[in-house]
């Protein structure tokens, strides 16, 4: 009895320290998430700064980041486990803010794309190490609540990104959308030196799977290229079909490679866990739908309703702001009933939000009546789905796989982002837009939401399941 009391007292004392770890890790994740949403908001402004470039060219500043992020994130998780999560977290943050400066100083789209690649490597290093530090700081039974709060951090960045980014772009130019990362990152590094404790998961051998990384980068890149260039006169349908098939073949070829290579990019045995498998498949489809929806918002506000940059950014904020409280409540509910009910409810609601945007808004700006209801509906949906998918993917994984499992989950979402951006640029990346141009994007949004709902059915994270795993 006395031993149990002592353990309880010790656990309660450890919680404030754990929340300090959470705060520092959240600052870095907030910074990297903020940068993504700012770029959505500033896409048209950046494009106008480089008149010799097309929307398809500039899309690679977004897609190149996401592709490299998806490929590098998985080995980065292993690097963090082996060499120290605090050390890699600090290094990643430093690289991210250095590359942010290079992005802001870019004299051309090509320079911007290269700088974004290095920025993504920094984000790769800090993201899985940050989550691994947080998960290790808290007891296992609080994971659903913590993951809900973790998802809310990214959601808050998504909510503030359009407004902050649009205001920064209006005041100082799009370059400051990147320069803003520098003071945030320096503060994060300063605090991490005092607050974070080193954490390692030793590995006897570790080699970078360069072939596996190349398969993922070229495979996803080929698929994105085929989608973006689908309407380009420079490529015919046969050539683009061949490029698309090449991408699919390269991705599929990873399966035999992973079975042959001693230390592949990621171990396929992780996917024997049904919940992990379907949570990541759902992460891809929902990631496509989310990036299509979010990117399309700015095209509508700027090109159909002709709002200023600041108004366009502010008009998008209420939806993501709904994600934060929803994610926090969802985490508490999931700890009692599991994530499946939240995921099914959220994805079906997300389909309804797509239907709203498809059917209701028109060329006459009427924000409160025709836009805000759909925006709030989508925000609630994302709050139910995104953090729940992240938590479900990590559910049941042993501690040694936290960083790698988190990396795979983030990579799946980034692959979805690449495809979603490519689809959006394909349909909306032109000078003159009309409401009918948005029909394909919102139709795809609805279809993918329904597909995600079906993929969530096999997910089982009920607390009883956790009890079985720990026995």
């Amino acid at each position: 009895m006395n031993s149990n009391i002592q353990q309880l007292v010790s656990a309660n004392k450890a919680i404030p320290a754990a929340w300090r770890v959470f705060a520092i890790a959240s600052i870095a994740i907030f910074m990297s998430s903020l940068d993504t949403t700012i770029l959505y908001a500033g896409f048209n402004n950046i494009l106008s700064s480089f008149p010799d470039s097309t929307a398809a060219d500039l899309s690679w500043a977004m897609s190149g980041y996401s592709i490299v992020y998806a490929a590098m994130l998985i080995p980065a998780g292993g690097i963090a486990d082996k060499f120290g999560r605090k050390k890699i977290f600090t290094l990643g943050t430093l690289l991210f803010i250095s590359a942010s400066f290079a992005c802001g100083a870019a004299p051309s789209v090509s320079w911007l794309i290269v700088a974004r690649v290095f920025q993504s490597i920094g984000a790769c290093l800090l993201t899985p190490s940050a989550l691994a530090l947080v998960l290790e700081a808290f007891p296992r039974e609080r994971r659903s609540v913590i993951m809900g709060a973790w998802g809310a951090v990214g959601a808050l960045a998504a909510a503030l990104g359009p407004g902050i980014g649009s205001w920064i772009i209006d005041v100082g130019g799009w370059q400051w959308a990147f320069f803003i990362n520098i003071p945030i990152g320096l503060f994060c590094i300063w605090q991490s030196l005092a607050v974070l404790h080193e954490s390692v998961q030793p590995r006897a051998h570790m080699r970078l799977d360069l072939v596996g990384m190349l398969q993922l980068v070229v495979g996803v890149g080929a698929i994105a290229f085929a989608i973006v260039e689908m309407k380009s006169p420079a490529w015919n349908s046969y050539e683009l079909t061949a490029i698309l098939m090449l991408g699919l073949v390269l991705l599929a070829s990873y399966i035999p490679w992973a079975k042959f290579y001693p230390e592949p990019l990621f171990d396929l045995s992780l996917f024997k866990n049904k919940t992990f498998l379907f949570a990541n498949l759902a992460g891809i489809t929902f990631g496509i739908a989310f990036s299509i929806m979010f990117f399309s918002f700015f095209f509508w506000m700027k090109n159909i309703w002709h709002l200023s940059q600041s108004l366009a950014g502010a008009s998008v904020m209420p939806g993501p702001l709904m994600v934060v409280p929803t994610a926090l409540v969802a985490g508490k509910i999931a700890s009692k009933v599991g994530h499946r009910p939240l995921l099914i409810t959220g994805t079906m609601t997300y389909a309804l939000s797509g239907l709203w945007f498809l059917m209701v808004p028109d060329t006459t700006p009427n924000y409160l009546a025709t836009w805000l209801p759909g925006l709030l509906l989508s925000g609630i949906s994302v709050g139910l789905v995104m953090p729940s998918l992240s938590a479900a993917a990590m559910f049941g994984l042993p501690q040694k796989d936290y960083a790698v499992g988190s990396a795979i989950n983030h990579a799946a979402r980034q692959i979805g982002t690449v495809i979603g951006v490519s689809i959006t640029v394909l349909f909306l990346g032109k000078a003159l837009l009309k409401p009918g141009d948005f029909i394909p994007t919102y139709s795809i949004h609805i279809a993918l939401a329904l597909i995600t709902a079906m993929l969530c059915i096999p997910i089982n994270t009920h607390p009883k399941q956790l009890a079985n795993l720990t026995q």
Side-chain angles (χ1 to χ4, degrees), residues 355-413:
L355 185 62
W356 177 278
F357 290 119
L358 179 65
M359 302 294 294
V360 177
D362 56 27
T363 55
T364 303
N366 190 350
Y367 182 79
L368 292 178
T370 66
W371 195 268
L372 185 59
L375 196 62
L376 296 177
L377 199 62
S378 68
I380 293 171
S381 305
V382 173
L384 290 172
V385 176
M386 275 199 172
S388 295
L389 283 177
S390 297
M394 299 299 290
F395 184 89
L397 291 183
Q399 183 174 326
K400 67 180 181 66
D401 291 325
Y402 280 174
V404 173
S406 169
I408 292 173
N409 180 246
H410 278 82
R413 190 175 299 174

Side-chain angles (χ1 to χ4, degrees), residues 264-352:
L265 187 61
F266 57 88
D267 189 352
L268 293 175
S269 65
L270 285 172
F271 292 95
K272 292 180 180 178
N273 182 322
K274 185 185 293 187
T275 292
F276 184 78
L277 170 63
F278 282 96
N280 283 291
L281 290 175
I284 294 175
T285 56
F286 196 79
I288 299 172
F290 176 79
S291 58
I292 288 174
M293 175 203 70
F294 204 70
F295 205 8
S296 296
F297 285 169
F298 292 100
F299 279 100
W300 183 279
M301 292 300 171
K302 296 279 287 185
N303 295 278
I304 303 300
W305 283 1
H306 305 289
L307 300 185
S308 67
Q309 180 67 49
S310 294
L311 280 177
S315 68
V316 176
M317 288 179 63
L321 280 173
M322 290 299 300
V323 177
V324 180
T326 305
L328 293 173
V329 173
K332 294 180 180 180
I333 295 173
S335 66
K336 298 178 180 179
V337 301
H339 295 93
R340 185 194 296 159
L342 299 171
L343 289 167
I344 300 297
T345 302
T347 50
M348 296 302 291
T349 307
Y350 198 63
L352 290 176

Side-chain angles (χ1 to χ4, degrees), residues 39-250:
L39 201 60
Y40 280 117
F43 187 86
N44 289 325
N45 298 72
I46 299 174
L47 186 60
S48 65
S49 297
F50 303 109
D52 295 333
S53 299
T54 66
D57 295 333
L58 185 57
S59 72
W60 288 102
M62 302 171 73
S63 295
Y65 178 100
S66 297
I67 292 169
V68 173
Y69 189 81
M72 282 292 299
L73 193 60
I74 298 168
I79 291 170
D81 286 342
K82 182 175 177 64
F83 295 105
R85 291 155 178 170
K86 175 182 176 180
K87 185 185 301 180
I88 298 302
F89 171 80
T90 305
L91 176 63
T93 304
L94 181 61
L95 179 57
F96 185 87
I97 61 176
S98 300
S100 295
F101 176 81
C103 288
S108 66
V109 169
S110 298
W111 179 286
L112 178 60
I113 292 171
V114 172
R116 285 282 287 170
V117 167
F118 281 98
Q119 195 184 37
S120 73
I121 295 172
C124 286
L125 294 175
L126 72 89
T127 301
S129 54
L131 182 56
L133 286 166
V134 168
L135 288 175
E136 193 166 46
F138 287 91
R140 185 186 183 101
E141 61 270 15
R142 301 195 62 162
R143 191 182 302 171
S144 291
V145 175
I146 298 308
M147 288 302 296
W150 186 256
V153 171
L156 182 61
L160 298 179
I164 293 176
S166 296
W167 180 79
I168 290 172
I169 291 167
D170 268 349
V171 172
W174 63 263
Q175 293 85 352
W176 279 94
F178 296 105
F179 292 154
I180 192 65
N181 294 326
I182 298 172
I184 299 174
L186 290 175
F187 175 80
C188 181
I189 292 172
W190 170 50
Q191 288 293 303
S192 68
L193 296 176
V195 174
L196 301 182
H197 299 284
E198 191 54 277
S199 168
V200 296
Q201 184 67 45
R203 298 185 178 202
H205 303 285
M206 181 182 167
R207 290 176 288 182
L208 289 179
D209 179 10
L210 296 178
V211 173
M213 291 170 60
L214 190 64
Q215 287 170 309
L216 185 57
V217 169
V218 178
V220 175
I223 294 170
F225 183 88
I227 294 172
V228 167
E229 298 293 334
M230 197 172 291
K231 293 183 178 180
S232 171
W235 300 85
N236 62 48
S237 60
Y238 298 105
E239 291 170 331
L240 291 175
T241 300
I243 293 172
L244 178 64
M245 293 304 298
L246 172 65
L248 294 172
V249 169
L250 281 171

Side-chain angles (χ1 to χ4, degrees), residues 420-432:
V421 167
S422 302
I423 292 172
T424 308
V425 171
L426 170 65
F427 290 109
L428 304 180
K430 54 187 180 181
L432 298 176

